[in-house]
């Protein structure tokens, strides 16, 4: 599990964690506006993740499809 809260830099952390994400497929919680979630979706689609809002329009969770029930 990775929780990211970096004052609007969350998408940069996701970009920097590509190798870890590809290897371990962690669940990822992050904040950001809808544009950030779209950017994250583009990156995480390659790893077969689904992104969903968990609290309003700023908190998101990304779950690899292999871990969904």
């Amino acid at each position: 599990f990775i929780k990211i809260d970096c004052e609007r830099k969350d998408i940069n952390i996701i970009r920097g964690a590509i190798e870890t994400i590809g290897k371990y497929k962690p669940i990822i919680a992050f904040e950001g506006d809808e544009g950030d979630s779209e950017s994250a979706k583009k990156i995480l689609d390659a790893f077969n993740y689904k992104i969903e809002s968990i609290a309003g329009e700023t908190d998101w969770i990304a779950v690899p499809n292999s871990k969904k029930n």
Side-chain angles (χ1 to χ4, degrees):
F1 177 77
I2 297 174
K3 182 184 184 301
I4 306 169
D5 186 1
C6 295
E7 300 302 322
R8 317 267 312 148
K9 302 287 185 204
D10 296 32
I11 192 64
N12 294 332
I13 302 298
I14 291 171
R15 286 185 185 117
I18 291 295
E19 201 171 302
T20 299
I21 291 167
K23 183 174 182 179
Y24 297 106
K25 306 278 193 276
I27 294 170
I28 304 167
F30 66 99
E31 352 181 290
D33 60 24
E34 189 141 343
D36 292 330
S37 72
E38 287 300 315
S39 295
K41 184 176 185 329
K42 287 178 186 175
I43 293 167
L44 296 173
D45 271 349
F47 299 102
N48 205 20
Y49 272 76
K50 179 173 181 170
I51 297 176
E52 298 176 1
S53 173
I54 55 173
E57 296 179 10
T58 60
D59 294 313
W60 305 89
I61 190 134
V63 180
N65 287 325
S66 62
K67 292 188 180 181
K68 292 197 69 110
N69 293 341

